[in-house]
Amino acid sequence: MLRLTSALAADFAPLSALPGAVATTVAVATALAGASSAAIAIDLVPASAALPVVLVFLAVLWIVLRFLPDHRPVPRFGAANMVTFVRGAITAWLAGCSSPAIRVESVGWWVAGAAGLAVALDGVDGLLARRRREASAFGARFDMETDALLLLVLSALAVGADRLGPWVLAIGLMRYAFVGAARLWPMLNAPLSPSFRRKAIAAFQGLALTAVFLPVLTDGQAALIAGTALVALAGSFARDVAYLIRRGGAPSPA
């Protein structure tokens, strides 16, 4: 993992201006990789869980190294980004629960607890960044990509556990579909002004997908909660897309 991390870092020359942040990233990645290997070695987690954990964690690591240059001029990785990194690690652990050797229904409280912690920490990183004056374009992007990855993992886990049907994958895939559409229609790349409605609906997605794994809920109740979240998310995306199309890609007013 250390060699892979070093190789990835070498591909991003601008990172040389952020030695402290890179060092922190490499140290955390190495520590988490070592902890995961130890857990597998002592049979604390099944070996089949390793692949999804590694894949998701590598995705988090790629996000960090890809966008870290946007953290300038802040020289430190920062406490806020460390919190986001922890959320990424939790997301990787949740991905491991997709292993056939793990019955999600038997660890529902653990899954819901881990997902709930990741959702709760989503409100901490931004607060820390503002209070410690560590806010940056990288921090905002890292937070957003980690949110999207968490929703994708939780929705896939809900399907894999037979808790919900494949339709719930739409929650996890919707942002990626929007990004793909923006490549075809550049007008969708125009920035949107901050919106409480958008933030509230995004937070609701995480809460809804967390609730899905609570053993006290029936499948019907879980479906109702997730379905409501999906409708709200689809409506929010539709509203933003319609707005961007009407403006023809012009930036929205502040």
Side-chain angles (χ1 to χ4, degrees):
M1 177 63 76
L2 180 58
R3 289 183 179 179
L4 177 59
T5 302
S6 301
L8 285 172
D11 289 336
F12 296 89
L15 294 179
S16 59
L18 296 161
V22 174
T24 300
T25 302
V26 172
V28 173
T30 303
L32 290 175
S36 299
S37 299
I40 293 172
I42 62 176
D43 292 328
L44 187 61
V45 296
S48 59
L51 181 58
V53 170
V54 169
L55 289 177
V56 172
F57 186 71
L58 285 178
V60 173
L61 194 58
W62 181 86
I63 292 169
V64 171
L65 296 178
R66 170 64 178 81
F67 298 105
L68 191 55
D70 295 335
H71 195 40
R72 291 175 295 184
V74 182
R76 302 176 304 278
F77 192 70
N81 290 324
M82 282 300 301
V83 171
T84 308
F85 211 149
V86 169
R87 290 174 52 227
I90 294 173
T91 301
W93 180 85
L94 287 167
C97 292
S98 63
S99 166
I102 298 176
R103 294 180 58 199
V104 176
E105 61 271 19
S106 67
V107 293
W109 287 110
W110 286 100
V111 172
L117 177 60
V119 171
L121 288 176
D122 189 24
V124 175
D125 47 14
L127 181 62
L128 279 175
R130 290 188 293 272
R131 288 190 174 183
R132 295 171 61 90
R133 297 181 180 179
E134 296 173 345
S136 67
F138 161 74
R141 185 63 180 264
F142 187 23
D143 178 66
M144 179 176 63
E145 297 294 348
T146 302
D147 287 344
L149 193 57
L150 176 63
L151 295 183
L152 179 59
V153 167
L154 288 176
S155 58
L157 191 57
V159 175
D162 291 327
R163 182 62 155 165
L164 297 172
W167 57 267
V168 76
L169 287 172
I171 292 179
L173 293 172
M174 198 167 299
R175 180 181 176 277
Y176 298 104
F178 178 81
V179 171
R183 289 182 177 274
L184 297 176
W185 297 286
M187 69 176 65
L188 298 181
N189 283 314
L192 291 162
S193 57
S195 165
F196 175 77
R197 177 259 309 171
R198 199 178 300 117
K199 291 180 180 179
I201 290 177
F204 179 43
Q205 304 308 304
L207 292 172
L209 288 178
T210 295
V212 160
F213 296 98
L214 293 173
V216 295
L217 296 182
T218 65
D219 288 349
Q221 291 169 331
L224 177 61
I225 293 173
T228 302
L230 175 57
V231 170
L233 183 63
S236 180
F237 268 99
R239 180 174 177 177
D240 287 341
V241 168
Y243 176 81
L244 290 171
I245 291 175
R246 286 198 306 270
R247 292 187 61 85
S252 58

